[in-house]
Amino acid sequence: MIRLFLRVWLVVFIPMLFLLFSNSYNPVRMLNQWADSDYLKTTFGGAFYLLEQDLAQWPQSQWPLHFSQIADKFGRDIRLVTETDMGDEWRSLPTDGYRIIEESGSAAIVKRIGSTPWLVVLMFDESEQRKVMRQAQGPLNLILARFQALPPTQWSRELDALAPHFDFPLQLIDPQQLSAADNKLLSIDQQSQFERQGRVWHASDEGSFLFLKLSMPTEVAADHDQPMPYQVLMAGPIPQQSVHHLWIVGMMIAIFVGGISLCMLIFVAPLWRDLKRLTRTAAFFGEGALSQRATLGRWSAITPLAQSFNQMADQIEKMIQGQRELTNAVAHDLRTPLARLDFAFEMLQSCELDAVERARYEQSVASSLEALDHLIQQLLILSRYRRMVDLVHFHSVDLTSSLRVELNQLQMAHPDLLFEWVVAHDVVDRLIFVDPKAMLRAFNNLAENAVRYAASTVRIRLASSDTHYCLSIEDDGIGIPDVMKPQVFEPFRQLNNEARSLLSTESNRGNQTKTHGLGLAIVKQIAEWHGGEVTLEDSHLGGACFTLRWPIRHP
């Protein structure tokens, strides 16, 4: 069960992980890149055009400085880099070409400025720095207002009073510490940004820090011998929202995966139990316990499979049982002609036989061989129609005309009987999709059975309904008792009905064809060969009525 569960788990989650995590073959990522490319052309095309026009007014050597002033007011994270900074693969970016990249977990647009080596990188999503700056805007303005209302001598005491109300440290530092050689806190670009904006965000291994400029009145700075007319408020390390966000996302993913895994386990456990039960039943059945059947719950996922197995087992058991009965019956029917042959050959070896007796024993040999040949032919026919249906033998034929030809031969062979031929108008001249040889053989077997026991009349009727064809043959004999009707279609079953035997003998029609009780069994197999059935009822004429019914098919 564990292996089955792992296989299902991998089948479910590997494609999901493939779609969730970014890679160059991710179809979701490829679709997003296509949509983003179309989006940037319609949304940021004008912005890039204005940037190029503005930069064109300056020498390329001054672009970084001028661009930093533009970036401060752009509203999105944007920077100017060279293709060397991005890597050698960016040299292939065409003039005025666009490209979407993943940077720091966010999507960004990269565009070349004309034919220069300079590239503009515009972030789609808001960076963590800008998020913190935006979220800290209100508290920073309040802090600035609070400190500006106090003399610088009270700033330290005010800072001590504010510190307990914040989740991160607050401290005043000397501006020179920002650029001190031994302990430089900010890079040159960050220092430039700090001088321009009065605040800057700095991320380091220790965490994220926010530096805020607290301006001092000029006279106060002169009185305190301050080299710079301001002090720096350093806030940090500031806890970032992304940590909590990742924790929440991780928990949600864990809950989702755990829930799906539990549901899969709930599904796989009963499935595995039922599969083991079905496997055990199949093993017992294969060892010869033909009565074994799969018993599963109504709501089991493999109930249709179990039902198919049971149907197969029923057919196999029925087939094997039929083969056993057929083998026993064949052995019984072979015993009599073989015994006659043995006796006849033994007598023919005697020198005391006269010509008449020798001729009689030779006739016995010929009769026994003929009986054996007929038995073998009947067995071969029965065996053929017990196989799987082969549509190669099926054709669209005028069955009415074929049956009429067979009926004419019966009328010539039995002039003492009246044959009634009734055909529905919608069947006349219709092409019917059947196995012609099999259908004519079934007709002849039923007709010969009716002829053998009819007193004076045999009625043959061919009709059709919306879904089936129907061929019925009935006679005016004495019929078949109800208790014997279920047995007439069994192989080698000859009814012990003295009245029927007497009628057959008196009419001199019973000895024209040697029978072994296979005729009606063959009819039954032919009916099933066509997907139909054969039934036995009492005839209105007084005898038996056999009805062969099969579904309408089209080639």
Side-chain angles (χ1 to χ4, degrees):
M1 185 185 74
I2 296 178
R3 287 187 296 178
L4 177 61
F5 175 76
L6 289 177
R7 289 175 183 174
V8 176
W9 196 93
L10 292 175
V11 167
V12 171
F13 285 106
I14 285 181
M16 188 179 300
L17 294 176
F18 179 78
L19 293 177
L20 287 177
F21 290 97
S22 176
N23 58 74
S24 57
Y25 301 102
N26 192 325
V28 176
R29 183 170 180 263
M30 296 171 63
L31 182 62
N32 286 337
Q33 287 185 348
W34 174 83
D36 291 342
S37 177
D38 183 69
Y39 172 74
L40 71 90
K41 291 179 180 178
T42 57
T43 305
F44 296 101
F48 283 119
Y49 172 78
L50 292 175
L51 281 172
E52 290 185 24
Q53 293 295 314
D54 187 75
L55 291 174
Q57 303 175 15
W58 299 81
Q60 291 191 23
S61 60
Q62 298 183 19
W63 280 11
L65 178 61
H66 181 66
F67 194 87
S68 63
Q69 298 174 359
I70 298 175
D72 293 341
K73 304 175 182 178
F74 202 81
R76 284 180 178 268
D77 288 334
I78 187 171
R79 69 181 189 272
L80 182 68
V81 298
T82 64
E83 57 187 18
T84 304
D85 297 332
M86 297 292 290
D88 293 338
E89 68 274 8
W90 289 92
R91 298 181 186 276
S92 61
L93 184 66
T95 301
D96 294 330
Y98 293 89
R99 188 176 296 177
I100 306 296
I101 64 171
E102 290 283 340
E103 187 173 279
S104 301
S106 301
I109 310 169
V110 181
K111 183 183 184 302
R112 183 183 295 277
I113 301 178
S115 58
T116 69
W118 293 94
L119 306 173
V120 176
V121 180
L122 175 64
M123 302 299 296
F124 270 175
D125 302 322
E126 192 175 28
S127 65
E128 190 65 28
Q129 172 184 353
R130 190 168 293 276
K131 287 181 181 179
V132 174
M133 292 289 289
R134 177 172 50 81
Q135 294 171 1
Q137 190 71 30
L140 290 176
N141 289 333
L142 292 176
I143 291 176
L144 284 174
R146 194 179 188 96
F147 275 71
Q148 295 297 336
L150 296 173
T153 55
Q154 299 182 18
W155 285 0
S156 298
R157 182 170 40 182
E158 182 64 20
L159 188 63
D160 295 336
L162 292 175
H165 300 284
F166 288 85
D167 293 334
F168 47 86
L170 296 174
Q171 58 179 314
L172 290 171
I173 64 173
D174 192 287
Q176 295 181 351
Q177 294 181 354
L178 298 178
S179 58
D182 56 344
N183 189 21
K184 183 183 292 187
L185 296 178
L186 301 178
S187 65
I188 296 177
D189 292 339
Q190 289 175 331
Q191 293 178 36
S192 176
Q193 180 182 353
F194 181 76
E195 292 296 336
R196 295 193 312 269
Q197 300 180 1
R199 63 195 64 179
V200 70
W201 170 272
H202 173 68
S204 66
D205 296 338
E206 299 177 359
S208 300
F209 297 85
L210 184 62
F211 297 92
L212 181 65
K213 182 188 292 186
L214 297 178
S215 300
M216 300 174 59
T218 305
E219 62 276 8
V220 174
D223 293 342
H224 289 78
D225 296 330
Q226 290 287 344
M228 295 184 180
Y230 62 86
Q231 284 189 300
V232 179
L233 175 63
M234 184 177 71
I238 299 175
Q240 299 186 27
Q241 184 181 3
S242 59
V243 177
H244 302 284
H245 177 71
L246 290 176
W247 182 83
I248 294 174
V249 170
M251 286 296 297
M252 292 179 63
I253 292 176
I255 293 174
F256 174 77
V257 172
I260 296 296
S261 301
L262 180 61
C263 293
M264 290 167 55
L265 183 61
I266 293 175
F267 171 78
V268 168
L271 178 63
W272 178 259
R273 179 199 61 204
D274 293 341
L275 285 174
K276 291 290 289 183
R277 187 179 300 172
L278 181 60
T279 302
R280 186 167 54 252
T281 302
F284 288 150
F285 186 86
E287 292 174 358
L290 300 182
S291 61
Q292 287 288 326
R293 296 295 181 271
T295 55
L296 301 179
R298 179 181 179 184
W299 303 106
S300 173
I302 60 172
T303 294
L305 177 61
Q307 293 173 348
S308 299
F309 173 83
N310 290 340
Q311 293 175 0
M312 178 196 69
D314 291 339
Q315 293 176 358
I316 292 176
E317 184 180 20
K318 180 180 178 182
M319 180 181 66
I320 293 178
Q321 184 65 27
Q323 292 291 344
R324 290 174 179 172
E325 294 177 355
L326 184 63
T327 302
N328 294 334
V330 168
H332 179 271
D333 274 42
L334 286 174
R335 188 178 298 114
T336 299
L338 288 176
R340 290 176 182 173
L341 284 172
D342 182 66
F343 178 74
F345 282 126
E346 184 178 350
M347 294 302 297
L348 287 173
Q349 293 176 359
S350 174
C351 299
E352 300 177 356
L353 291 178
D354 55 22
V356 175
E357 290 179 338
R358 181 173 295 278
R360 181 164 60 86
Y361 285 119
E362 289 176 351
Q363 178 61 33
S364 176
V365 170
S367 176
S368 298
L369 290 175
E370 182 181 353
L372 286 174
D373 180 70
H374 183 267
L375 174 61
I376 293 173
Q377 292 296 329
Q378 292 292 91
L379 286 173
L380 291 176
I381 294 172
L382 181 64
S383 175
R384 173 191 171 187
Y385 296 114
R386 282 192 170 187
R387 298 197 304 265
M388 183 179 296
V389 177
D390 188 359
L391 293 179
V392 174
H393 302 286
F394 282 66
H395 307 284
S396 295
V397 298
D398 185 0
L399 186 61
T400 304
S401 299
S402 300
L403 294 180
R404 183 65 188 176
V405 172
E406 297 295 324
L407 179 59
N408 290 337
Q409 295 179 1
L410 284 173
Q411 289 175 328
M412 290 187 295
H414 305 284
D416 57 320
L417 291 177
L418 172 63
F419 290 90
E420 297 181 2
W421 173 245
V422 182
V423 181
H425 296 291
D426 57 342
V427 180
V428 177
D429 298 330
R430 178 191 290 187
L431 295 179
I432 301 177
F433 188 67
V434 294
D435 181 345
K437 292 183 178 180
M439 192 57 65
L440 292 180
R441 181 170 285 111
F443 172 79
N444 286 323
N445 287 359
L446 291 175
E448 289 174 2
N449 187 78
V451 165
R452 185 178 299 112
Y453 300 109
S456 61
T457 304
V458 175
R459 179 181 296 164
I460 302 171
R461 180 183 289 110
L462 180 63
S464 70
S465 63
D466 294 337
T467 58
H468 287 76
Y469 292 108
C470 182
L471 173 64
S472 61
I473 301 178
E474 51 188 319
D475 61 74
D476 61 347
I478 63 172
I480 299 176
D482 292 340
V483 295
M484 297 183 179
K485 287 179 180 179
Q487 307 173 17
V488 297
F489 297 109
E490 298 178 6
F492 296 98
R493 180 69 67 176
Q494 294 179 333
L495 301 183
N496 185 18
N497 190 331
E498 296 181 0
R500 288 174 61 84
S501 301
L502 180 62
L503 178 61
S504 174
T505 302
E506 291 177 351
S507 64
N508 198 29
R509 294 190 296 268
N511 297 325
Q512 293 182 8
T513 304
K514 295 179 174 59
T515 63
H516 299 277
L518 292 175
L520 295 180
I522 292 174
V523 172
K524 179 182 178 182
Q525 291 300 322
I526 292 175
E528 295 177 354
W529 179 266
H530 286 77
E533 62 178 355
V534 59
T535 56
L536 171 60
E537 300 173 335
D538 292 332
S539 171
H540 295 293
L541 300 177
C545 176
F546 290 88
T547 302
L548 177 61
R549 184 180 292 103
W550 72 97
I552 297 176
R553 286 183 176 179
H554 301 283

